[in-house]
């Protein structure tokens, strides 16, 4: 069986399909190459507002009928917004696949954004904003983006600001959708025990009538970067720290070695360098992680942890020590083999998630116009040697280039 198939409708919308025979659940979604970075200055938060409002009424359904359509048959309907994507997705028994495609196409392309619902959802999003602000571990990572991308859409909070959210009306949503939808940059993704023939039939039934739309929208490139250090006092009990710097984009030839390097430094494993140094050996943190986010034309790495205020300097020095060790001490043969085995094992486990694979297929087609198989990714990881990792660390992890954002207990 092929890993995946791609079929293109006449209006440019592409179907990404993978048949999995050992499940009764089908996961499907519509992903658009539109995100918060496509907003103008007075529109921050509008993409996310659209994601919410898509569920609040279409030309043929009211909000209750939308949320009840799949839940009444045990399914789930959801959505999310990122810097570069909006996605509406569903999971249902395969016998209800038709219902899922119907509702997804309806909320994506036929939402009418009722003004009364706009007012209600405005309050919901403001509450969501308050919830994040009350959570320093979430707030600091959102706010840290602005240090990497100052005065740029990539640095703005996806939720927007209270001022912009309070200013949005139905006309703003309709204009934003009209200005940004490009059917050649939309993927309908399906993973489940559904044949390609049936997936095409449903795509043609519910998506072929969407008019062919193209928008030549040039995204603003990343701004010039200058490292900055900011400290704020907050009514919290721990000090929270985020440090990081720009990194490779999705298209950079060294992104696999960089991804492996950051995994070694602070990946999800309890044996990551940072977790061993700060938690296991010194008991300074409950958790610490390093992450690498690759976008279409830029990327960034962030390290996050929380610790007692009196331990800030010690924790900072240990983080810097581990970063320097990546540059000065190459991995031994067994260390490198264990690193690769761990990384490939974790990637294989994530590949077991059919919903995750469905979302990955859509994103990959939009970003790099292909879907890399697990075997291909493994080959790229296997090609990495100790010297490459060390050189990557030397080229990318300059301590003088790191920005930092610290929340101190007031």
């Amino acid at each position: 069986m092929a890993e995946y198939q791609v079929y293109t409708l006449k209006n440019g919308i592409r179907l990404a399909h993978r048949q999995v025979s050992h499940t009764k659940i089908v996961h499907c979604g519509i992903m658009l190459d539109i995100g918060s970075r496509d907003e103008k200055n007075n529109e921050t938060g509008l993409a996310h507002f659209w994601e919410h409002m898509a569920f609040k009424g279409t030309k043929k359904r009211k909000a209750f009928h939308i949320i009840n359509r799949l839940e009444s048959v045990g399914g789930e309907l959801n959505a999310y917004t990122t810097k570069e994507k909006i996605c509406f997705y569903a999971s249902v028994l395969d016998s209800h696949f038709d219902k899922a495609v119907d509702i997804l196409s309806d909320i994506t392309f036929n939402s009418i954004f009722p003004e009364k619902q706009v007012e209600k959802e405005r309050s919901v999003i403001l509450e969501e904003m308050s919830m994040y602000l009350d959570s320093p571990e979430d707030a600091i990572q959102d706010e840290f983006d602005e240090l990497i991308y100052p005065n740029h859409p990539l640095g703005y909070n996806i939720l927007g600001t209270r001022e912009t959210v309070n200013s949005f009306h139905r006309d703003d949503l309709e204009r934003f959708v009209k200005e940004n939808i490009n059917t050649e940059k939309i993927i309908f993704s399906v993973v489940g025990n559904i044949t390609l023939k049936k997936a095409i039939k449903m795509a043609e039934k519910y998506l072929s009538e969407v008019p062919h739309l193209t928008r030549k929208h040039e995204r603003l490139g990343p701004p010039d970067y200058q490292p900055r250090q900011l400290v704020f006092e907050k009514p919290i009990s721990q000090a929270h720290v985020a440090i990081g710097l720009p990194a490779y984009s999705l298209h950079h030839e060294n992104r696999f070695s960089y991804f492996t390097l950051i995994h070694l430094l602070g990946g999800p494993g309890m044996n990551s360098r940072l977790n061993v140094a700060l938690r296991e050996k010194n008991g300074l943190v409950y958790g610490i992680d390093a992450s690498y986010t690759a976008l279409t034309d830029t990327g960034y790495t962030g390290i996050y942890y929380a610790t007692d205020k009196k331990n800030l300097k010690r924790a900072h020095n240990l983080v810097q020590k581990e970063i320097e060790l990546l540059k000065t001490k190459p991995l031994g043969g067994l260390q490198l083999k264990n690193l690769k085995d761990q990384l490939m094992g974790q990637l294989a486990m994530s590949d077991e998630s059919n919903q995750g694979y469905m979302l990955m297929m859509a994103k990959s087609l939009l970003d790099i116009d292909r879907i890399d198989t697990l075997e291909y990714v493994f080959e790229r990881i296997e090609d990495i040697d100790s010297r490459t990792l060390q050189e990557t660390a030397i080229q990318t992890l300059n301590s003088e280039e790191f920005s930092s954002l610290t929340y101190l207990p007031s």
Side-chain angles (χ1 to χ4, degrees):
M1 183 184 299
E3 281 287 321
Y4 67 91
Q5 298 86 26
V6 177
Y7 175 83
T8 304
L9 301 178
K10 290 181 180 179
N11 55 14
I13 295 175
R14 284 175 287 173
L15 162 68
H17 169 265
R18 185 192 200 190
Q19 185 169 358
V20 179
S21 59
H22 57 266
T23 179
K24 291 292 292 179
I25 302 298
V26 59
H27 303 278
C28 53
I30 296 176
M31 187 176 292
L32 305 95
D33 197 40
I34 305 168
S36 62
R37 74 174 298 181
D38 299 303
E39 300 161 345
K40 302 181 179 70
N41 287 343
N42 63 339
E43 294 179 337
T44 56
L46 192 53
H48 175 256
F49 208 112
W50 170 19
E51 173 216 314
H52 276 239
M53 285 302 303
F55 294 81
K56 301 306 174 182
T58 69
K59 295 173 182 176
K60 62 180 181 179
R61 290 184 174 95
K62 292 185 177 180
F64 172 78
H65 300 122
I66 291 171
I67 62 174
N68 195 52
R69 178 69 167 163
L70 298 186
E71 290 199 0
S72 64
V73 295
E76 296 178 353
L77 179 64
N78 213 333
Y80 64 83
T81 304
T82 68
K83 302 286 186 181
E84 297 186 330
K85 304 287 182 286
I86 293 175
C87 183
F88 304 101
Y89 61 102
S91 300
V92 292
L93 283 169
D94 51 23
S95 57
H96 298 298
F97 178 50
D98 187 295
K99 290 185 177 71
V101 187
D102 178 18
I103 201 73
L104 285 171
S105 62
D106 199 26
I107 65 174
T108 305
F109 300 106
N110 298 316
S111 292
I112 57 174
F113 313 123
E115 196 65 55
K116 287 184 179 180
Q117 293 285 357
V118 170
E119 293 305 317
K120 291 179 183 178
E121 208 58 28
R122 190 193 316 280
S123 298
V124 171
I125 292 172
L126 291 174
E127 288 300 320
E128 183 181 3
M129 205 174 288
S130 297
M131 181 181 70
Y132 274 87
L133 290 174
D134 284 343
S135 174
E137 60 269 27
D138 292 324
I140 195 170
Q141 296 187 62
D142 283 335
E143 196 170 350
F144 182 73
D145 290 352
E146 195 170 349
L147 269 70
I148 305 296
Y149 305 112
N151 302 312
H152 189 281
L154 285 172
Y156 300 151
N157 194 312
I158 289 172
L159 300 181
T161 67
R162 290 188 174 274
E163 292 74 22
T164 56
V165 170
N166 275 315
S167 73
F168 296 149
H169 294 284
R170 177 182 179 180
D171 291 347
D172 299 304
L173 290 160
E174 290 178 337
R175 186 190 67 253
F176 184 77
V177 172
K178 184 178 180 181
E179 288 178 352
N180 286 282
I181 279 193
N182 178 354
T183 51
E184 294 180 3
K185 298 289 283 182
I186 295 175
I187 305 295
F188 172 49
S189 186
V190 180
V191 173
N193 194 11
I194 299 292
T195 65
L196 177 61
K197 182 179 180 180
K198 184 170 182 179
I200 292 173
K201 181 180 178 181
M202 290 299 104
E204 292 283 4
K205 180 178 179 180
Y206 291 109
L207 297 172
S208 63
E209 292 184 3
V210 177
H212 183 200
L213 300 169
T214 57
R215 299 285 184 268
K216 292 185 178 180
H217 176 64
E218 292 292 330
R219 284 174 166 163
L220 183 65
D224 293 335
Y225 171 74
Q226 293 293 332
R228 293 191 294 163
Q229 284 71 41
L230 296 179
V231 179
F232 296 105
E233 289 193 345
K234 303 271 186 178
I236 52 180
S237 57
Q238 281 185 301
H240 293 255
V241 180
I243 69 171
L245 73 175
Y248 297 135
S249 77
L250 278 168
H251 300 284
H252 199 284
E253 61 183 2
N254 293 337
R255 67 185 178 93
F256 283 97
S257 61
Y258 189 77
F259 172 67
T260 306
L261 181 73
I262 299 305
H263 177 87
L264 170 64
L265 178 63
M270 294 291 285
N271 63 344
S272 75
R273 294 283 184 90
L274 290 177
N275 194 71
V276 169
L278 274 78
R279 173 174 169 154
E280 301 301 327
K281 289 184 177 179
N282 291 283
L284 298 180
V285 300
Y286 175 74
I288 181 170
D289 64 80
S291 61
Y292 164 42
T293 301
L295 302 170
T296 50
D297 57 354
T298 180
Y300 61 94
T301 288
I303 297 170
Y304 165 76
Y305 59 93
T307 188
D308 194 278
K309 184 177 177 181
K310 70 177 185 293
N311 294 325
L312 265 178
K313 185 173 182 180
R314 188 177 172 206
H316 172 79
N317 289 339
L318 285 171
V319 170
Q320 292 301 321
K321 179 182 178 182
E322 292 303 321
I323 291 172
E324 289 305 311
L325 281 173
L326 293 175
K327 297 190 282 186
T328 58
K329 189 176 180 181
L331 292 181
L334 182 59
Q335 288 177 312
L336 181 63
K337 181 183 183 303
N338 290 341
L339 170 62
K340 291 178 179 180
D341 286 346
Q342 182 186 33
L343 181 54
M344 290 188 291
Q346 290 180 349
L347 289 172
M349 282 190 283
S350 66
D351 193 60
E352 289 286 303
S353 165
N354 289 334
Q355 184 183 82
Y357 198 94
M358 179 272 294
L359 296 171
M360 180 278 291
M361 286 201 306
K363 185 176 185 299
S364 292
L365 278 178
L366 289 174
D367 287 342
I368 59 176
D369 206 30
R370 67 176 190 274
I371 301 168
D372 290 337
T373 64
L374 197 60
E375 288 72 20
Y376 171 80
V377 175
F378 282 4
E379 288 173 4
R380 296 297 302 270
I381 292 172
E382 288 285 15
D383 287 341
I384 298 168
D385 56 29
S386 238
R387 181 179 177 183
T388 300
L389 282 178
Q390 186 178 12
E391 289 176 348
T392 300
I394 292 170
Q395 292 168 6
T396 59
L397 301 179
N398 184 344
S399 59
E400 296 179 354
E401 291 295 312
F402 276 84
S403 289
S404 68
L405 176 61
T406 306
Y407 289 171
L408 293 178
S410 57

